[in-house]
Amino acid sequence: MRPRCPITRGTGPGSSGFVQDITQRKEAELALVAATDALKASEEKYRNVFEAKNNPLVLIDAETRKIIDTNEAAAALYGYTREEMPGMDILDLSGEPEKTREVVDRRIPRVPLRYHRRADGTVFPADITIAYFTLDGRSVMILSIRDLTGVQQADDALRIANLKLNLIIGVTRHDVLNSLTALLGYNVILKERRLDPATEELLDKQEKLLLAIKNHIEFTRGYDDLGVKAPVWQNIKKTSAQAYAQFINTIEFSCETGDLEIYADPMLEKVFYNLFDNAFRYGEGVTKIRLYGEMDGTDLLLCFEDNGIGIPEEEKSRIFSRGVGKNTGLGLFLTREILAITRITVAETGEYRKGARFTIRVPRGSYRLLK
């Protein structure tokens, strides 16, 4: 039995939607561990490790926030000499002093995005991993800093490309819908004429196909911003309630996630909208929908379940595929794609004839409790 809420507090990615280089991050974390272990063991061993690593490392007094020591890589990153940095306040290196103060005071072990400031005043994005321990009776911390400038530039370029692509898609959709409207009009004119039954039947089929095409094109309009805007922290209770409010129904909905937030694409509301829509359309006897959280190791599981008929085992692997479904066949497919932007997955884990359950797996660092 997995432990239910309370969900552990987590720290998360900040305010950018770029995909981080996992290999480089792991190298930085390993460098931090090595330097920390060496510092605990002996001054000589610490010095050798500190100097040998190319990863920027900074040793700080956790109480005063003053820099005790840095390596050459850190000095080069910030644009100071190694002699200049000892004695400086860590806030002097931050482009967001208040946020940095909070990280130090709360002893947060990892901050995937913060903006730091070089000696010449330029600001750059950084991934910070921190280790805290006691040295010679005083509390110290080692920071391992990874410059994310190149990653963010690539991310910005991708977002601009997506904006331009969406503009083209919007213009094209408008033109196609205009043509479809004209075709449907011609179809109506033809059906008003005296025609043989076989021709009338063909016109009816043609009209259904034209309306289906129009419906598919109109459906995509709601996903223009998919992946264009940076992911943000979103309150589950508020976002799911907004999605539920778009339906007129008598089905009870309860959300038991409290002040839980997850870091996801701004279209997260569409995820819940599609899950509600799926339950209302195909649930067969659904009278109650419940949303709650539970832990699975370091991952958070968000469970969206109903008390309807459920989904047969043989269909569970297909329902997230494009084109599967009685309506557009895109709802659950796009649900999966929206979540995947921030490495969140979704699967159907309910028991057939006892209800459907969509389990959204949120990795550590992408969920948090505010209170």
Side-chain angles (χ1 to χ4, degrees), residues 173-185 206-222 327-328 330:
R173 179 172 52 228
H174 180 267
D175 292 344
V176 171
L177 285 173
N178 282 344
S179 297
L180 280 173
T181 300
L183 285 171
L184 285 166
Q206 178 173 280
E207 183 177 19
K208 288 180 180 179
L209 288 172
L210 289 171
L211 288 171
I213 294 171
K214 185 177 181 181
N215 185 32
H216 277 74
I217 294 173
E218 289 284 7
F219 180 83
T220 64
R221 191 191 301 274
N327 191 31
T328 62
L330 291 173

Side-chain angles (χ1 to χ4, degrees), residues 196-363:
D196 60 274
T199 302
E200 288 184 352
E201 183 180 356
L202 287 174
L203 287 174
D204 286 339
K205 291 180 178 179
Q206 178 173 280
E207 183 177 19
K208 288 180 180 179
L209 288 172
L210 289 171
L211 288 171
I213 294 171
K214 185 177 181 181
N215 185 32
H216 277 74
I217 294 173
E218 289 284 7
F219 180 83
T220 64
R221 191 191 301 274
Y223 294 85
D224 279 351
D225 291 333
L226 178 59
V228 173
K229 298 179 181 178
V232 292
W233 287 104
Q234 298 170 73
N235 183 281
I236 295 299
K237 200 166 196 174
K238 179 181 178 182
T239 304
S240 60
Q242 289 172 340
Y244 176 73
Q246 296 179 52
F247 297 90
I248 300 175
N249 62 80
T250 57
I251 294 175
E252 178 187 347
F253 170 58
S254 63
C255 181
E256 304 164 19
T257 59
D259 291 304
L260 174 69
E261 292 187 342
I262 69 172
Y263 187 72
D265 187 89
M267 296 197 71
L268 179 64
E269 184 179 324
K270 277 287 186 181
V271 167
F272 291 114
Y273 178 93
N274 290 336
L275 294 178
F276 281 121
D277 185 59
N278 185 77
F280 299 152
R281 286 178 185 270
Y282 314 121
E284 293 186 30
V286 173
T287 60
K288 183 177 181 180
I289 296 175
R290 180 173 168 235
L291 178 59
Y292 60 91
E294 60 184 33
M295 297 303 299
D296 183 18
T298 60
D299 290 347
L300 164 70
L301 303 182
L302 276 177
C303 302
F304 184 100
E305 66 178 26
D306 63 50
N307 61 349
I309 188 65
I311 298 173
E313 196 66 34
E314 63 273 14
E315 294 183 18
K316 291 185 179 185
S317 61
R318 300 178 57 249
I319 57 175
F320 296 100
S321 300
R322 182 182 177 188
V324 174
K326 300 175 184 177
N327 191 31
T328 62
L330 291 173
L332 291 179
F333 167 74
L334 287 170
T335 290
R336 184 185 65 181
E337 296 305 305
I338 292 170
L339 294 172
I341 290 173
T342 48
R343 298 183 297 111
I344 299 173
T345 62
V346 60
E348 208 293 319
T349 59
E351 186 175 345
Y352 185 48
R353 298 195 182 281
K354 290 188 178 180
R357 180 172 64 240
F358 289 89
T359 300
I360 298 170
R361 181 177 291 272
V362 187

Side-chain angles (χ1 to χ4, degrees), residues 11 30 49 62 104 142 149 165 169 202 245 257 275 291 295 330 345:
T11 58
L30 288 172
V49 173
V104 176
I142 290 184
T149 302
L165 179 61
I169 290 173
L202 287 174
T257 59
L275 294 178
L291 178 59
M295 297 303 299
L330 291 173
T345 62

Side-chain angles (χ1 to χ4, degrees), residues 84-100:
E84 290 177 308
M85 296 187 73
M88 290 176 62
D89 192 308
I90 186 60
L91 301 186
D92 295 336
L93 302 181
S94 176
E96 307 164 298
E98 290 306 314
K99 291 183 178 180
T100 299

Side-chain angles (χ1 to χ4, degrees), residues 102-121:
E102 180 185 11
V103 169
V104 176
D105 292 345
R106 291 178 56 193
R107 295 179 174 257
I108 297 173
R110 180 163 178 268
V111 188
L113 179 68
R114 277 293 181 272
Y115 287 92
H116 276 215
R117 188 182 304 277
R118 294 188 173 92
D120 62 5

